[in-house]
């Protein structure tokens, strides 16, 4: 049988060309995770471009996995006469479809790219079928990744060295819960790691679009990325981060972003469970791919390689060409 994915398009022609490459690679990853042959090609039907693939009749699980595609507008079965039959998934945003999109601010990572980053980590790990999935974003800013994860039933923890960013994320999320009259509890507390106090707060909330009685949790921590393993060693299934793009983020002004990458990689590895995966995005104009991969390998990660993971560098804007590296914690590491 032939299936097609109609991806969301971008108005910028240059960005759209590279977006198409990312969409195809993400589809290959999801097909592989669903136990399907990773095959994909583009075709045009009645002037509409689709990414197509061949597979037997999709199971409910396979349809659910494919519905996680970050650029998915619709999934179709393509009939012999080129008519399109929608393939429906039961998945939906559990907390609020609009939640990750409301905040607009300078430096915010695109929501769909962030969704792709989550997919790259989740479906590269060996954990994606487990219950109670947990995600860590060690540089979460105002929480885009956290809200996307919560909508999928993944329990996220967001950490950031900036107290003001964490505070803004907390204020926004509290207002959102109150505006939508979602029952919740907010608890402020702290952890201690190597004698350092880590301020934290946790939101426990009802899932409006989940099963009856289902609840979610988002935790926020004000802590430097080099110490995120203090939030729990081996506690997380996946880790995602859009690394700083500018040299102003160099640790103590020394060594640049490469030094920061080296200093954080071990903390990332320690925070993840065996079989867990980290997906890191970075600007190749300020941080080279080899610097990221070498830091991760030195920390004990295995670098995901092959057609799915190679050639993901893409233009974003002037001075920013973004790439993605996925590192996996070996099952036998601990």
């Amino acid at each position: 049988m032939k299936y097609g994915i109609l991806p969301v398009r971008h108005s910028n022609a240059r960005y759209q060309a590279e977006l198409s490459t990312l969409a195809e690679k993400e589809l290959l990853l999801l097909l592989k995770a669903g136990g399907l042959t990773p095959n994909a090609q583009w075709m045009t039907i009645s002037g509409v471009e689709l990414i197509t693939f061949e597979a037997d009749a999709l199971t409910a699980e396979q349809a659910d996995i494919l519905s996680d595609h970050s650029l998915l507008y619709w999934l179709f079965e393509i009939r012999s006469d080129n008519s399109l039959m929608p393939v429906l998934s039961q998945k939906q945003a559990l907390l609020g479809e609009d939640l990750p999109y409301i905040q607009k601010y300078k430096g915010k990572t695109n929501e769909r790219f962030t969704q792709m980053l989550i997919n790259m980590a989740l479906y590269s790990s060996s954990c994606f079928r487990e219950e109670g999935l947990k995600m860590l974003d060690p540089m979460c800013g105002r929480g885009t990744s956290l809200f996307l994860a919560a909508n999928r039933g993944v329990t996220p923890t967001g950490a950031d060295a900036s107290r003001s960013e964490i505070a803004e994320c907390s204020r926004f999320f509290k207002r959102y819960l109150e505006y939508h009259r979602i029952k919740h509890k907010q608890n402020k507390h702290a952890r201690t790691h190597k004698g350092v106090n880590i301020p934290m707060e946790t939101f426990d909330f009802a899932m409006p679009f989940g099963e009856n009685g289902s609840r979610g949790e988002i935790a926020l921590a004000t802590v430097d990325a080099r110490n995120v393993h203090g939030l729990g060693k081996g506690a997380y299934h996946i880790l995602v981060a859009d690394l700083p793009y500018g040299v102003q983020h160099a640790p103590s002004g020394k060594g640049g972003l490469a030094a920061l990458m080296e200093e954080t990689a071990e903390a990332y590895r320690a925070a993840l469970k065996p079989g867990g995966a980290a997906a890191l995005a970075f600007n190749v104009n300020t941080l080279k791919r080899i610097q990221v991969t070498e830091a991760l390998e030195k920390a004990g990660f295995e670098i995901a390689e092959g057609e799915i993971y190679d050639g993901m560098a893409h233009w974003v804007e002037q001075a920013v060409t973004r790439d993605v590296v996925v590192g996996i914690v070996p099952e036998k590491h601990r």
Side-chain angles (χ1 to χ4, degrees):
M1 300 175 68
K2 179 175 284 190
Y3 294 91
I5 280 183
L6 175 62
V8 174
R9 299 187 61 83
H10 197 277
S11 57
N12 185 305
R14 179 178 179 183
Y15 189 60
Q16 175 58 43
E18 299 191 333
L19 205 61
S20 296
T21 299
L22 294 179
E24 184 175 327
K25 289 181 176 293
E26 186 178 358
L27 174 59
L28 295 176
L29 176 66
L30 299 181
L31 289 170
K32 183 179 178 181
L36 301 168
T37 302
N39 65 96
Q41 62 180 7
W42 289 85
M43 70 177 296
T44 301
I45 299 178
S46 299
V48 178
E49 284 191 309
L50 304 174
I51 320 176
T52 66
F53 61 94
E54 302 280 348
D56 293 332
L58 297 178
T59 65
E61 181 196 54
Q62 290 167 341
D64 282 347
I65 290 174
L66 291 169
S67 73
D68 282 334
H69 196 290
S70 64
L71 294 172
L72 179 67
Y73 187 75
W74 212 267
L75 173 64
F76 299 96
E77 176 192 340
I78 303 174
R79 300 291 180 83
S80 58
D81 61 355
N82 279 348
S83 61
L84 305 178
M85 175 63 69
V87 176
L88 302 180
S89 167
Q90 298 301 312
K91 279 193 172 182
Q92 62 175 332
L94 300 178
L95 185 53
E97 190 75 48
D98 61 336
L99 176 58
Y101 297 89
I102 296 173
Q103 295 187 97
K104 304 295 181 185
Y105 54 91
K106 184 178 180 180
K108 180 180 181 180
T109 306
N110 177 273
E111 300 88 355
R112 292 189 180 276
F113 177 78
T114 304
Q115 179 83 325
M116 189 198 78
L117 208 58
I118 294 173
N119 284 338
M120 296 302 293
L122 181 61
Y123 290 114
S124 298
S125 76
S126 61
C127 310
F128 67 89
R129 286 190 172 91
E130 293 186 18
E131 298 290 333
L133 290 170
K134 293 184 177 181
M135 184 194 82
L136 173 64
D137 185 339
M139 300 179 179
C140 71
R142 300 187 190 180
T144 301
S145 65
L146 312 183
F147 303 142
L148 287 164
N151 265 337
R152 295 172 64 161
V154 176
T155 300
T157 295
D160 204 284
S162 171
R163 187 181 298 271
S164 62
E165 290 288 271
I166 291 292
E168 184 56 38
C169 177
S170 173
R171 283 194 294 269
F172 165 75
F173 189 48
K174 183 175 178 62
R175 289 196 301 268
Y176 184 90
L177 294 171
E178 291 174 342
Y179 178 82
H180 291 280
R181 299 181 180 180
I182 298 172
K183 293 183 179 180
H184 64 278
K185 295 179 182 179
Q186 182 181 10
N187 177 37
K188 295 190 177 184
H189 52 105
R191 294 179 68 103
T192 301
H193 174 62
K194 294 183 178 180
V196 176
N197 185 64
I198 302 176
M200 296 191 68
E201 56 184 300
T202 304
F203 288 89
D204 178 270
F205 46 87
M207 286 290 203
F209 305 104
E211 296 180 1
N212 289 336
S214 63
R215 301 190 67 84
E217 181 180 291
I218 290 179
L220 302 173
T222 304
V223 61
D224 189 280
R226 287 162 283 200
N227 293 310
V228 291
H229 55 305
L231 300 174
K233 285 193 174 183
Y236 300 96
H237 299 87
I238 61 172
L239 181 150
V240 301
D242 189 14
L243 304 182
Y245 290 170
V247 295
Q248 71 270 23
H249 296 281
S252 304
K254 299 177 182 179
L257 294 174
L260 178 62
M261 183 65 232
E262 290 179 3
E263 293 176 10
T264 55
E266 179 61 29
Y268 298 164
R269 197 279 302 160
L272 287 167
K273 296 176 180 290
L280 306 178
F282 53 95
N283 179 13
V284 301
N285 295 318
T286 54
L287 184 62
K288 302 304 181 186
R289 182 181 181 89
I290 188 66
Q291 294 172 318
V292 177
T293 58
E294 286 183 349
L296 290 176
E297 287 177 326
K298 184 178 179 181
F301 284 93
E302 294 178 351
I303 305 302
E305 297 176 324
E307 182 183 3
I308 294 171
Y309 303 96
D310 296 337
M312 296 193 70
H314 57 284
W315 178 87
V316 177
E317 59 183 40
Q318 184 178 2
V320 178
T321 297
R322 188 167 53 198
D323 201 355
V324 177
V325 165
V326 174
I328 301 169
V329 179
E331 295 277 4
K332 61 183 180 181
H333 194 86
R334 295 181 178 87

